[in-house]
Amino acid sequence: MGRVENDGPLELLRRANAHFGGFFERFAAAPVMGSYEEVEALLQVECTLHAVGGWLDGRLQKSADHEVRQELARYRENLLRLRRELANMQESAVGCRARLYSRQKHLHAAQAWCAASRETS
C-alpha cells in the first residue's frame, strides 16, 4: 500500500479493498497476541484509511464511473466489517490483559510466600 497516494481513485479503492481482504483473512476471529505482525497490520490499515480518506470529500461519491461506485460500495462494507473486527480484537485484548493481571497477582503472591518461607526456615 506504499504508493496508494499516487493512484487514481479506482486503483486506490481496489488496493484498499484487497488489503482489507488480506487483513480479514489473517486476523478475523483470531485471538489477539500483541505480535509485531498484528501491530504492522493495524498500521497498514491506518495507512489505507488515511489514503482513501483523502478522496472521501465528495469526489468518490459523485463519480459516475460504475466500477468506482462498485469498489466504493465494497469499501463501505469492508469498513463495517473492520469496525466489527476491531471491536472483537479489543475484546480479545481486554480478556488477555485480565488474564495477565491475574497471573501477575498469582506470581506476586507466590513470590511473597517464597520470601516468607525463607525467613521462617
Side-chain angles (χ1 to χ4, degrees):
M1 292 290 306
R3 53 171 248 225
V4 291
E5 296 81 11
N6 299 325
D7 291 335
L10 180 58
E11 187 60 28
L12 175 72
L13 287 168
R14 283 181 176 157
R15 289 168 143 268
N17 286 326
H19 180 261
F20 286 134
F23 179 83
F24 297 142
E25 282 179 27
R26 173 61 186 95
F27 296 104
V32 172
M33 304 302 289
S35 69
Y36 177 79
E37 181 185 11
E38 286 172 340
V39 173
E40 282 298 310
L42 288 170
L43 290 172
Q44 283 296 318
V45 164
E46 180 184 27
C47 180
T48 299
L49 292 170
H50 283 294
V52 175
W55 284 86
L56 294 178
D57 59 359
R59 290 181 282 176
L60 287 176
Q61 295 88 330
K62 294 176 185 174
S63 176
D65 186 324
H66 178 69
E67 288 182 275
V68 169
R69 296 191 68 71
Q70 274 186 312
E71 288 297 324
L72 186 58
R74 189 170 157 221
Y75 182 78
R76 285 185 188 122
E77 291 171 13
N78 281 329
L79 288 179
L80 293 172
R81 182 172 179 193
L82 179 63
R83 183 170 56 183
R84 289 189 305 269
E85 293 300 332
L86 291 176
N88 291 339
M89 290 176 87
Q90 181 181 16
E91 187 177 315
S92 176
V94 167
C96 185
R97 182 174 60 186
R99 287 187 302 278
L100 287 172
Y101 179 72
S102 176
R103 288 181 184 157
Q104 182 183 31
K105 284 177 37 178
H106 288 249
L107 283 173
H108 287 294
Q111 189 177 32
W113 179 84
C114 286
S117 69
R118 271 191 232 124
E119 289 176 8
T120 58
S121 298

